[in-house]
Amino acid sequence: MNVKHAFIICSLLFASITSGALVKNKVKNDQPEEAVGEITEEATNDIVNNVKPAEVDEISRDNVDVDEISREDGNVDQGIGIQRYDEEPSDGSECYTLTDGSDYRGTISTTPNGRTCQQWTNQSPHQHTMLPENYPNSGLGDHNYCRNPDNAAGPWCYTTDPAQRWEYCDVGSPRTKCSDETVLAGFVYTRWGHSSCPGNAKVVYNGIMSGKYYGTGGSGSNYLCLPEIPKYDDNVVVHGTQSDRASLYHVQFYGSTGPFASNRYHDVACSVCLQEYRNNHFMYPGRDDCPNGWTREYYGYLMSADDSYGTTEYVCVDESGGSLSGTSSNVNGGQLYPVESKCVTGGGIPCAPYVDGYELTCAICSI
């Protein structure tokens, strides 16, 4: 064991004793820490072999050459976690130019040993502080793609193998330039129930969720995000209300129980968002996560008009239930209700795993 290794081990052991928690079990400051038992030789080796270089810096804050710490194998399994928004997802390209791969924004999520990466926004099986808010502009987000947020030798990830904390990834070699590597068209979507856009999506405009009057069978069946300030064509406007017209009304949260019951009679906010870093998206009904390889733009609850009135569309309303300020009166217009699944034994929507009468979740997923 050389001097640097001895120094690092001593620093780690000292920090473990004084903080009341082993480094490999380090948790966030607002969570309870694990009590320390007897520090065995096995625990000492586990600390040295599994802690990330940046985590060493968090303890010692010394300019130690941590690259000499033994880097063992690590990385496995991953489920889609229910975390908020993707701060900086993949740009769809496997190309990068920096020698340490800190600019890698591809989608590799397994290691050379076949282990799957742990999602950066998850704290299981390995708790850590490598979160998007702690390392902005480093490519971290609600995904499990290999990244290098802490100036390591190359892109890496935490693993879903409880026995192995982290491992380097094989993302190929850096290139001279990547300007022509990938051309992305992007897409536009509406975020119902919120006046801003998630992650790195850009707000095109904010608006008011609008649709037909709840008691009519005519007019359009789809919902619109109406701009806050309209622009009319004065050359064709006919002043006053006409009988031979379709109508457009505000839409209110109307369910008395379940999701958004506390926002009943509030007008629903909306925003139109531009996602420049991915090409396609879809609404995932009945789930508030996304399939592997897809990025979640936002999640919430499936909503539509009441069964008793005319047909409208099903939309995914953000779980925050954003409404327009100053609106809380029961002013008739469009009405928005949570959607329940109606399962049938022996046919139709199966009653296992669906549950009759349960309100359905949803997510907007992109790739």
Side-chain angles (χ1 to χ4, degrees):
M1 178 181 298
N2 60 32
V3 175
K4 289 183 177 179
H5 282 167
F7 175 80
I8 295 170
I9 292 173
C10 291
S11 299
L12 291 170
L13 293 178
F14 177 77
S16 297
I17 295 170
T18 56
S19 65
L22 290 176
V23 174
K24 73 185 186 73
N25 291 322
K26 184 178 62 176
V27 297
K28 296 170 70 176
N29 292 335
D30 59 348
Q31 295 177 337
E33 296 180 337
E34 176 181 306
V36 177
E38 180 182 355
I39 300 179
T40 63
E41 180 179 355
E42 180 181 359
T44 302
N45 292 334
D46 194 31
I47 293 172
V48 175
N49 291 333
N50 282 295
V51 71
K52 275 295 298 163
E55 293 174 322
V56 175
D57 291 339
E58 289 174 10
I59 298 166
S60 65
R61 301 297 180 188
D62 291 321
N63 294 322
V64 179
D65 184 6
V66 296
D67 285 338
E68 290 190 17
I69 295 178
S70 174
R71 299 182 186 274
E72 301 285 337
D73 295 337
N75 278 52
V76 154
D77 152 330
Q78 175 245 354
I80 299 294
I82 308 304
Q83 296 289 333
R84 280 296 291 184
Y85 306 114
D86 190 355
E87 289 295 325
E88 191 177 343
S90 167
D91 66 359
S93 172
E94 294 300 324
C95 181
Y96 66 96
T97 61
L98 300 179
T99 56
D100 65 355
S102 58
D103 61 334
Y104 174 73
R105 296 297 182 270
T107 58
I108 291 176
S109 59
T110 57
T111 69
N113 292 326
R115 295 185 173 96
T116 306
C117 296
Q118 176 179 312
Q119 205 159 338
W120 293 102
T121 47
N122 282 357
Q123 292 293 323
S124 177
H126 303 292
Q127 294 181 337
H128 62 91
T129 59
M130 296 285 175
L131 301 172
E133 56 268 31
N134 295 339
Y135 293 84
N137 304 317
S138 61
L140 302 183
D142 194 14
H143 60 72
N144 70 330
Y145 305 139
C146 299
R147 295 290 185 263
N148 182 13
D150 59 341
N151 299 315
W156 58 276
C157 65
Y158 292 108
T159 83
T160 53
D161 181 355
Q164 184 57 54
R165 184 170 176 82
W166 70 280
E167 188 174 41
Y168 280 121
C169 303
D170 183 1
V171 297
S173 302
R175 302 186 187 182
T176 304
K177 66 175 184 176
C178 297
S179 58
D180 299 327
E181 183 71 15
T182 302
V183 178
L184 296 176
F187 61 87
V188 174
Y189 66 92
T190 301
R191 185 184 187 187
W192 304 109
H194 212 289
S195 57
S196 66
C197 295
N200 59 354
K202 297 179 180 179
V203 175
V204 180
Y205 71 88
N206 299 321
I208 307 161
M209 187 174 184
S210 306
K212 70 175 186 175
Y213 187 78
Y214 78 97
T216 62
S219 295
S221 61
N222 61 311
Y223 293 111
L224 300 175
C225 188
L226 202 64
E228 294 176 345
I229 301 176
K231 183 178 181 181
Y232 296 105
D233 185 347
D234 292 332
N235 294 322
V236 298
V237 165
V238 179
H239 296 279
T241 302
Q242 311 300 313
S243 60
D244 56 346
R245 299 288 190 272
S247 300
L248 195 61
Y249 290 80
H250 65 287
V251 175
Q252 294 183 318
F253 290 112
Y254 229 76
S256 59
T257 59
F260 313 130
S262 60
N263 285 350
R264 194 181 191 196
Y265 304 145
H266 288 251
D267 294 355
V268 183
C270 60
S271 55
V272 174
C273 305
L274 170 63
Q275 175 52 259
E276 298 178 296
Y277 293 94
R278 291 177 291 282
N279 287 322
N280 297 293
H281 73 290
F282 73 100
M283 192 259 280
Y284 203 9
R287 294 190 65 97
D288 54 9
D289 56 9
C290 290
N292 284 332
W294 290 76
T295 297
R296 188 179 59 189
E297 297 291 325
Y298 74 89
Y299 72 98
Y301 299 95
L302 199 63
M303 303 193 79
S304 188
D306 184 88
D307 286 343
S308 303
Y309 303 116
T311 301
T312 62
E313 63 178 321
Y314 294 105
V315 294
C316 186
V317 178
D318 190 272
E319 54 86 28
S320 64
S323 58
L324 300 177
S325 60
T327 62
S328 59
S329 301
N330 183 11
V331 181
N332 286 334
Q335 298 178 354
L336 204 58
Y337 294 85
V339 175
E340 296 179 346
S341 56
K342 299 295 183 182
C343 67
V344 179
T345 302
I349 297 177
C351 289
Y354 285 89
V355 179
D356 193 62
Y358 272 27
E359 287 76 20
L360 291 168
T361 58
C362 58
I364 302 298
C365 305
S366 62
I367 193 169

